[in-house]
């Protein structure tokens, strides 16, 4: 296992090269707002280095990464608006309950799977909330 940390997007090229040199066969992009707008670049590097990527947001899959499994951000944004409304109406933040996501989405990019030479099991495709062909 090769753990690669980047402190700025400019380090992505080197991180992918190190992963490949270390024998990585796949990579997981952990939630990090610094990388949220780097999904297209990460997808391109993944194809270049032949590394399947599992990411934390469906937009990564739309931009060419193999898979993503994440909370439903639409639902989370709705709940965030509810919390902001409550705070603006005088509720102290410490009085609001902590919530965790209850709905998660699986997204798969079949075009990327084909480019990487991966045949995804039918069970994965049937479980997916979104399949990009």
């Amino acid at each position: 296992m090769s753990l690669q940390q980047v402190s700025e997007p400019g380090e992505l090229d080197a991180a992918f090269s190190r992963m490949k040199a270390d024998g990585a066969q796949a990579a997981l992009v952990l939630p990090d707002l610094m990388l949220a707008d780097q999904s297209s670049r990460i997808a391109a590097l993944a194809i270049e280095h032949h590394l399947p990527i599992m990411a934390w947001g469906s937009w990564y899959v739309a931009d060419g990464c193999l898979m993503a499994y994440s909370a439903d951000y639409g639902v989370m944004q709705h709940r965030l608006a509810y919390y902001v409304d409550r705070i603006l109406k005088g509720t102290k933040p410490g009085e609001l309950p902590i919530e965790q996501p209850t709905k998660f989405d699986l997204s798969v990019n079949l075009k990327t799977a084909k480019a990487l030479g991966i045949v995804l099991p039918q069970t994965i495709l049937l479980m997916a909330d979104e399949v990009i062909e």
Side-chain angles (χ1 to χ4, degrees), residues 48-110:
E48 177 185 332
H49 292 277
H50 205 75
L51 286 173
I53 297 289
M54 174 71 127
W56 59 281
S58 61
W59 64 91
Y60 279 87
V61 176
D63 286 343
C65 290
L66 180 63
M67 302 175 84
Y69 185 68
S70 63
D72 184 324
Y73 287 101
V75 171
M76 289 174 57
Q77 289 171 348
H78 177 76
R79 295 303 301 159
L80 176 61
Y82 168 78
Y83 272 66
V84 169
D85 178 64
R86 298 278 309 270
I87 291 168
L88 291 175
K89 289 180 177 173
T91 303
K92 294 179 184 173
E95 295 173 356
L96 294 170
I98 295 173
E99 293 186 9
Q100 294 184 29
T102 57
K103 183 174 184 313
F104 293 84
D105 292 326
L106 174 64
S107 303
V108 177
N109 189 317
L110 288 179

Side-chain angles (χ1 to χ4, degrees), residues 100-132:
Q100 294 184 29
T102 57
K103 183 174 184 313
F104 293 84
D105 292 326
L106 174 64
S107 303
V108 177
N109 189 317
L110 288 179
K111 182 178 175 184
T112 300
K114 184 176 181 179
L116 294 172
I118 296 171
V119 177
L120 294 169
Q122 189 66 26
T123 53
I124 296 290
L125 299 176
L126 291 171
M127 288 189 304
D129 298 285
E130 177 183 25
V131 176
I132 297 173

